Amino acid sequence: MYEMGQNYMELYEIKIDIDSTVSFIFDGNVYTYSETPSMHAHSLYEIVYILSDQAVIELEQRQVTLNMGDAAIVAPGIYHKIKSVGNNLTHISFQVQTNTEDSRVRATLSKINFLNVLNLPSKSYLFILKAISEKGNSVFFTDSLRIKAGLTLLFADILENEFLQIPVSMENALSEQDMRRKKILGYINKKYNKSPSIKDLSKILFLSEKQTQKQVLALTGKRFSYLVQEKRIVCAKALIRENRMTLDAVSKAVGYETYYGFAKAFKRFESASPTEFRHLYTK
Protein backbone atom coordinates (compact mmCIF):
# COMPACT_ATOMS: atom_id res chain seq x y z
CA MET A 1 0.00 0.00 0.00
CA TYR A 2 2.69 2.51 1.02
CA GLU A 3 5.86 2.64 -1.04
CA MET A 4 9.31 4.24 -0.98
CA GLY A 5 10.04 7.41 0.91
CA GLN A 6 8.07 6.53 4.03
CA ASN A 7 9.35 6.09 7.54
CA TYR A 8 7.21 5.00 10.42
CA MET A 9 7.39 4.22 14.11
CA GLU A 10 5.91 0.82 14.85
CA LEU A 11 3.66 0.53 17.89
CA TYR A 12 1.16 -2.17 18.74
CA GLU A 13 -1.52 -3.10 16.22
CA ILE A 14 -4.82 -2.45 17.94
CA LYS A 15 -8.48 -3.18 17.30
CA ILE A 16 -10.50 -0.81 19.47
CA ASP A 17 -14.15 -1.62 20.15
CA ILE A 18 -15.93 1.68 20.79
CA ASP A 19 -19.18 -0.14 21.46
CA SER A 20 -21.06 -3.05 19.91
CA THR A 21 -21.52 -1.14 16.63
CA VAL A 22 -18.06 0.15 15.65
CA SER A 23 -14.38 -0.73 15.93
CA PHE A 24 -11.15 1.02 14.97
CA ILE A 25 -8.46 -0.96 13.21
CA PHE A 26 -5.13 0.79 13.89
CA ASP A 27 -2.10 -0.78 12.20
CA GLY A 28 0.33 0.43 14.86
CA ASN A 29 2.31 2.80 12.65
CA VAL A 30 2.97 6.52 12.88
CA TYR A 31 3.99 7.63 9.38
CA THR A 32 6.35 10.37 8.22
CA TYR A 33 7.11 11.09 4.58
CA SER A 34 10.09 12.31 2.61
CA GLU A 35 8.38 11.33 -0.64
CA THR A 36 4.76 10.86 -1.64
CA PRO A 37 3.20 7.37 -1.41
CA SER A 38 1.26 6.05 -4.39
CA MET A 39 -2.51 6.15 -4.91
CA HIS A 40 -4.39 3.50 -2.93
CA ALA A 41 -7.88 2.64 -1.71
CA HIS A 42 -9.43 0.69 1.17
CA SER A 43 -12.44 -1.55 1.64
CA LEU A 44 -13.45 0.27 4.85
CA TYR A 45 -13.79 3.93 5.79
CA GLU A 46 -10.37 5.38 6.59
CA ILE A 47 -9.66 8.27 8.94
CA VAL A 48 -6.35 10.08 8.38
CA TYR A 49 -5.33 12.30 11.29
CA ILE A 50 -2.62 14.94 10.76
CA LEU A 51 -0.25 15.19 13.73
CA SER A 52 2.19 17.76 12.37
CA ASP A 53 2.94 19.98 9.38
CA GLN A 54 0.55 20.55 6.46
CA ALA A 55 -0.52 17.98 3.88
CA VAL A 56 -2.53 17.66 0.70
CA ILE A 57 -4.80 14.67 0.21
CA GLU A 58 -5.22 13.98 -3.50
CA LEU A 59 -8.32 12.18 -4.69
CA GLU A 60 -9.28 10.95 -8.13
CA GLN A 61 -10.30 14.39 -9.39
CA ARG A 62 -9.47 16.98 -6.73
CA GLN A 63 -7.12 17.97 -3.92
CA VAL A 64 -7.84 19.07 -0.33
CA THR A 65 -5.39 20.77 2.05
CA LEU A 66 -5.08 19.35 5.56
CA ASN A 67 -3.59 21.14 8.57
CA MET A 68 -2.40 19.84 11.92
CA GLY A 69 -5.44 18.63 13.83
CA ASP A 70 -7.48 17.84 10.72
CA ALA A 71 -9.21 14.49 10.43
CA ALA A 72 -9.90 13.43 6.84
CA ILE A 73 -12.51 10.71 6.45
CA VAL A 74 -12.16 8.83 3.14
CA ALA A 75 -14.96 6.64 1.81
CA PRO A 76 -14.32 3.00 0.78
CA GLY A 77 -13.00 2.36 -2.74
CA ILE A 78 -11.81 5.96 -3.27
CA TYR A 79 -8.25 6.17 -4.60
CA HIS A 80 -6.23 8.76 -2.68
CA LYS A 81 -2.76 9.65 -1.49
CA ILE A 82 -1.22 12.06 1.02
CA LYS A 83 1.50 14.54 0.08
CA SER A 84 3.63 16.59 2.46
CA VAL A 85 3.60 20.35 1.90
CA GLY A 86 6.65 20.85 4.13
CA ASN A 87 9.31 18.40 5.22
CA ASN A 88 7.93 17.08 8.48
CA LEU A 89 4.54 15.51 7.85
CA THR A 90 3.45 13.01 10.49
CA HIS A 91 0.10 11.25 10.48
CA ILE A 92 -1.70 8.15 11.64
CA SER A 93 -4.36 6.26 9.72
CA PHE A 94 -6.96 3.80 10.92
CA GLN A 95 -10.01 2.12 9.47
CA VAL A 96 -13.56 2.09 10.82
CA GLN A 97 -15.40 -1.22 10.95
CA THR A 98 -19.14 -1.07 11.59
CA ASN A 99 -20.96 -4.13 12.82
CA THR A 100 -24.64 -3.31 12.33
CA GLU A 101 -26.91 -1.64 9.78
CA ASP A 102 -28.70 0.32 12.51
CA SER A 103 -25.84 2.22 14.15
CA ARG A 104 -25.55 5.97 14.56
CA VAL A 105 -22.00 5.58 13.30
CA ARG A 106 -23.07 3.98 10.02
CA ALA A 107 -25.65 6.72 9.52
CA THR A 108 -22.91 9.32 9.90
CA LEU A 109 -20.43 7.59 7.63
CA SER A 110 -23.06 7.00 4.95
CA LYS A 111 -23.12 10.77 4.35
CA ILE A 112 -19.52 10.61 3.15
CA ASN A 113 -19.30 9.94 -0.60
CA PHE A 114 -15.64 10.81 -1.16
CA LEU A 115 -14.03 12.84 1.62
CA ASN A 116 -15.01 14.92 4.65
CA VAL A 117 -12.47 17.04 6.55
CA LEU A 118 -13.03 18.13 10.14
CA ASN A 119 -10.70 20.56 11.91
CA LEU A 120 -10.32 19.39 15.50
CA PRO A 121 -7.29 21.21 16.98
CA SER A 122 -6.43 21.84 20.65
CA LYS A 123 -8.07 18.66 21.90
CA SER A 124 -6.59 16.26 24.43
CA TYR A 125 -6.21 13.44 21.90
CA LEU A 126 -4.02 15.67 19.71
CA PHE A 127 -1.43 15.82 22.49
CA ILE A 128 -1.76 12.12 23.27
CA LEU A 129 -1.21 11.06 19.66
CA LYS A 130 1.48 13.67 18.99
CA ALA A 131 3.42 12.53 22.07
CA ILE A 132 3.37 8.97 20.72
CA SER A 133 4.65 10.13 17.31
CA GLU A 134 7.59 11.93 18.98
CA LYS A 135 8.45 9.09 21.36
CA GLY A 136 11.01 7.38 19.14
CA ASN A 137 11.32 3.64 18.63
CA SER A 138 10.70 2.54 22.22
CA VAL A 139 7.46 0.64 22.63
CA PHE A 140 5.59 0.27 25.90
CA PHE A 141 2.23 -1.18 26.75
CA THR A 142 1.07 2.25 27.89
CA ASP A 143 1.33 3.46 24.28
CA SER A 144 -1.54 1.16 23.36
CA LEU A 145 -3.70 2.56 26.14
CA ARG A 146 -2.87 6.14 25.15
CA ILE A 147 -3.67 5.43 21.50
CA LYS A 148 -6.97 3.87 22.49
CA ALA A 149 -7.86 6.89 24.65
CA GLY A 150 -6.85 9.32 21.91
CA LEU A 151 -8.75 7.60 19.13
CA THR A 152 -11.86 7.14 21.25
CA LEU A 153 -11.94 10.86 22.03
CA LEU A 154 -11.20 11.73 18.40
CA PHE A 155 -14.03 9.60 17.06
CA ALA A 156 -16.48 10.97 19.63
CA ASP A 157 -15.58 14.47 18.47
CA ILE A 158 -16.03 13.50 14.82
CA LEU A 159 -19.52 12.20 15.55
CA GLU A 160 -20.40 15.33 17.50
CA ASN A 161 -19.20 17.59 14.67
CA GLU A 162 -21.07 15.60 12.03
CA PHE A 163 -24.35 15.76 13.89
CA LEU A 164 -23.96 19.46 14.67
CA GLN A 165 -23.56 20.09 10.95
CA ILE A 166 -26.37 17.75 9.89
CA PRO A 167 -29.23 17.84 12.42
CA VAL A 168 -31.00 14.54 12.85
CA SER A 169 -34.58 14.91 11.64
CA MET A 170 -37.04 13.27 9.30
CA GLU A 171 -36.10 15.83 6.65
CA ASN A 172 -32.54 14.53 6.66
CA ALA A 173 -33.45 10.87 6.68
CA LEU A 174 -32.45 9.08 3.50
CA SER A 175 -35.32 7.80 1.41
CA GLU A 176 -35.43 4.19 0.27
CA GLN A 177 -34.38 5.33 -3.22
CA ASP A 178 -31.46 7.34 -1.79
CA MET A 179 -30.29 4.32 0.19
CA ARG A 180 -30.60 2.07 -2.85
CA ARG A 181 -28.59 4.52 -4.99
CA LYS A 182 -25.88 4.67 -2.31
CA LYS A 183 -25.72 0.87 -2.24
CA ILE A 184 -25.37 0.75 -6.04
CA LEU A 185 -22.57 3.31 -6.16
CA GLY A 186 -20.94 1.87 -3.03
CA TYR A 187 -20.87 -1.59 -4.61
CA ILE A 188 -19.26 -0.24 -7.79
CA ASN A 189 -16.70 1.79 -5.82
CA LYS A 190 -15.63 -1.33 -3.93
CA LYS A 191 -15.82 -3.93 -6.70
CA TYR A 192 -15.09 -2.08 -9.96
CA ASN A 193 -11.72 -3.82 -10.36
CA LYS A 194 -12.89 -7.23 -9.13
CA SER A 195 -15.43 -8.39 -11.72
CA PRO A 196 -18.58 -6.66 -10.40
CA SER A 197 -21.83 -8.20 -11.61
CA ILE A 198 -25.53 -7.45 -11.68
CA LYS A 199 -26.08 -10.85 -10.07
CA ASP A 200 -24.07 -9.89 -6.96
CA LEU A 201 -25.62 -6.42 -6.82
CA SER A 202 -29.12 -7.89 -7.05
CA LYS A 203 -28.43 -9.89 -3.87
CA ILE A 204 -27.44 -6.71 -2.05
CA LEU A 205 -30.60 -4.91 -3.21
CA PHE A 206 -32.84 -7.97 -2.70
CA LEU A 207 -34.17 -7.62 -6.25
CA SER A 208 -34.15 -9.79 -9.35
CA GLU A 209 -31.38 -9.16 -11.87
CA LYS A 210 -33.86 -7.59 -14.29
CA GLN A 211 -35.25 -5.29 -11.58
CA THR A 212 -31.71 -4.38 -10.55
CA GLN A 213 -30.82 -3.34 -14.10
CA LYS A 214 -33.90 -1.09 -14.20
CA GLN A 215 -33.16 0.40 -10.77
CA VAL A 216 -29.56 1.23 -11.69
CA LEU A 217 -30.70 3.07 -14.81
CA ALA A 218 -33.57 4.84 -13.03
CA LEU A 219 -31.51 5.96 -10.00
CA THR A 220 -28.23 6.90 -11.72
CA GLY A 221 -29.26 7.67 -15.29
CA LYS A 222 -26.63 5.20 -16.52
CA ARG A 223 -26.45 1.49 -17.21
CA PHE A 224 -24.54 -0.78 -14.83
CA SER A 225 -21.81 -1.60 -17.37
CA TYR A 226 -21.29 2.11 -18.10
CA LEU A 227 -20.92 2.96 -14.39
CA VAL A 228 -18.29 0.25 -13.97
CA GLN A 229 -16.35 1.41 -17.05
CA GLU A 230 -16.61 5.04 -15.95
CA LYS A 231 -15.21 4.24 -12.50
CA ARG A 232 -12.39 2.21 -13.98
CA ILE A 233 -11.37 5.00 -16.36
CA VAL A 234 -11.46 7.64 -13.59
CA CYS A 235 -9.12 5.50 -11.49
CA ALA A 236 -6.94 4.66 -14.50
CA LYS A 237 -6.46 8.38 -15.23
CA ALA A 238 -5.31 8.98 -11.66
CA LEU A 239 -2.80 6.11 -11.89
CA ILE A 240 -1.53 7.25 -15.31
CA ARG A 241 -0.96 10.76 -13.97
CA GLU A 242 1.11 9.19 -11.17
CA ASN A 243 3.46 7.95 -13.91
CA ARG A 244 4.75 5.12 -11.70
CA MET A 245 3.13 2.13 -13.41
CA THR A 246 3.24 0.75 -16.93
CA LEU A 247 0.01 1.14 -18.86
CA ASP A 248 -0.43 -2.63 -18.88
CA ALA A 249 -0.14 -2.64 -15.07
CA VAL A 250 -2.68 0.20 -14.87
CA SER A 251 -5.14 -1.76 -17.01
CA LYS A 252 -4.90 -4.77 -14.68
CA ALA A 253 -5.08 -2.61 -11.54
CA VAL A 254 -8.45 -1.18 -12.57
CA GLY A 255 -9.94 -4.53 -13.56
CA TYR A 256 -9.30 -5.17 -17.27
CA GLU A 257 -8.20 -8.63 -18.34
CA THR A 258 -6.42 -7.37 -21.48
CA TYR A 259 -4.71 -4.13 -22.41
CA TYR A 260 -6.67 -4.10 -25.68
CA GLY A 261 -9.98 -3.96 -23.80
CA PHE A 262 -8.62 -1.23 -21.52
CA ALA A 263 -7.29 0.90 -24.41
CA LYS A 264 -10.56 0.57 -26.31
CA ALA A 265 -12.64 1.65 -23.30
CA PHE A 266 -10.23 4.46 -22.41
CA LYS A 267 -10.39 5.98 -25.89
CA ARG A 268 -14.18 5.77 -25.89
CA PHE A 269 -14.32 7.86 -22.70
CA GLU A 270 -11.39 10.22 -23.26
CA SER A 271 -11.10 10.48 -27.07
CA ALA A 272 -7.42 9.62 -26.62
CA SER A 273 -5.47 6.44 -26.09
CA PRO A 274 -3.80 5.76 -22.71
CA THR A 275 -0.43 6.44 -24.36
CA GLU A 276 -1.62 9.78 -25.75
CA PHE A 277 -3.15 10.71 -22.39
CA ARG A 278 0.11 9.98 -20.56
CA HIS A 279 2.10 11.94 -23.15
CA LEU A 280 -0.18 14.97 -22.85
CA TYR A 281 -0.20 14.88 -19.06
CA THR A 282 3.56 14.41 -18.56
CA LYS A 283 4.70 16.59 -21.48
Side-chain angles (χ1 to χ4, degrees):
M1 181 188 305
Y2 292 97
E3 297 184 346
M4 55 180 275
Q6 72 171 16
N7 298 306
Y8 60 88
M9 182 185 72
E10 185 175 342
L11 301 172
Y12 290 108
E13 182 175 339
I14 307 171
K15 182 177 179 183
I16 302 169
D17 295 321
I18 299 301
D19 55 28
S20 62
T21 66
V22 64
S23 302
F24 294 149
I25 301 172
F26 176 61
D27 65 6
N29 295 323
V30 179
Y31 295 96
T32 61
Y33 295 117
S34 57
E35 293 183 20
T36 304
S38 61
M39 297 286 279
H40 63 282
H42 304 283
S43 60
L44 300 174
Y45 285 93
E46 181 187 32
I47 297 181
V48 178
Y49 189 67
I50 305 300
L51 294 166
S52 66
D53 204 25
Q54 188 180 61
V56 171
I57 187 162
E58 184 174 312
L59 296 135
E60 294 159 3
Q61 295 178 313
R62 63 190 176 105
Q63 294 185 343
V64 177
T65 300
L66 305 175
N67 298 302
M68 186 177 78
D70 281 348
I73 312 172
V74 186
I78 300 300
Y79 271 88
H80 62 283
K81 68 175 181 179
I82 301 171
K83 302 191 293 188
S84 175
V85 173
N87 297 312
N88 191 36
L89 173 64
T90 304
H91 83 276
I92 60 170
S93 298
F94 55 97
Q95 294 183 288
V96 182
Q97 178 178 327
T98 53
N99 307 314
T100 175
E101 291 286 345
D102 300 321
S103 71
R104 179 178 182 235
V105 173
R106 185 177 286 275
T108 297
L109 294 177
S110 69
K111 298 181 178 74
I112 302 163
N113 292 318
F114 286 91
L115 175 95
N116 275 21
V117 178
L118 299 172
N119 185 256
L120 306 166
S122 304
K123 299 290 185 179
S124 58
Y125 48 75
L126 175 60
F127 299 104
I128 293 172
L129 300 175
K130 188 170 175 57
I132 292 170
S133 74
E134 295 172 345
K135 192 175 182 61
N137 292 322
S138 299
V139 178
F140 301 95
F141 177 68
T142 52
D143 287 335
S144 297
L145 298 180
R146 291 163 70 200
I147 290 172
K148 180 171 182 176
L151 295 186
T152 302
L153 288 169
L154 171 62
F155 199 69
D157 217 7
I158 288 170
L159 285 179
E160 181 182 353
N161 272 267
E162 282 293 319
F163 276 84
L164 284 174
Q165 294 172 24
I166 309 173
V168 178
S169 70
M170 290 304 294
E171 291 180 357
N172 292 305
L174 293 176
S175 68
E176 184 178 347
Q177 285 190 328
D178 290 333
M179 288 298 294
R180 192 167 285 173
R181 184 175 183 276
K182 279 185 173 290
K183 287 182 179 180
I184 291 168
L185 297 178
Y187 173 78
I188 290 171
N189 282 340
K190 292 178 184 178
K191 301 291 186 179
Y192 72 93
N193 61 347
K194 299 176 182 178
S195 302
S197 69
I198 279 290
K199 182 178 180 180
D200 288 343
L201 180 58
S202 68
K203 294 176 182 177
I204 295 171
L205 299 179
F206 300 102
L207 298 172
S208 69
E209 292 180 35
K210 187 174 181 179
Q211 288 174 320
T212 299
Q213 288 275 21
K214 290 181 178 179
Q215 282 289 291
V216 171
L217 183 59
L219 296 175
T220 69
K222 301 172 183 177
R223 296 189 180 279
F224 178 78
S225 58
Y226 184 93
L227 288 171
V228 173
Q229 299 284 343
E230 183 178 50
K231 178 68 178 179
R232 286 176 170 179
I233 298 305
V234 166
C235 293
K237 286 165 61 181
L239 293 174
I240 291 172
R241 286 194 295 264
E242 283 288 299
N243 205 25
R244 295 190 180 193
M245 299 170 65
T246 66
L247 294 176
D248 186 60
V250 169
S251 71
K252 289 181 170 60
V254 298
Y256 288 92
E257 294 184 1
T258 67
Y259 179 77
Y260 173 78
F262 166 62
K264 186 176 179 181
F266 193 95
K267 192 161 188 175
R268 186 166 62 249
F269 275 84
E270 296 299 319
S271 300
S273 70
T275 302
E276 291 168 339
F277 182 85
R278 170 163 280 175
H279 177 71
L280 289 171
Y281 190 84
T282 59
K283 188 175 180 180

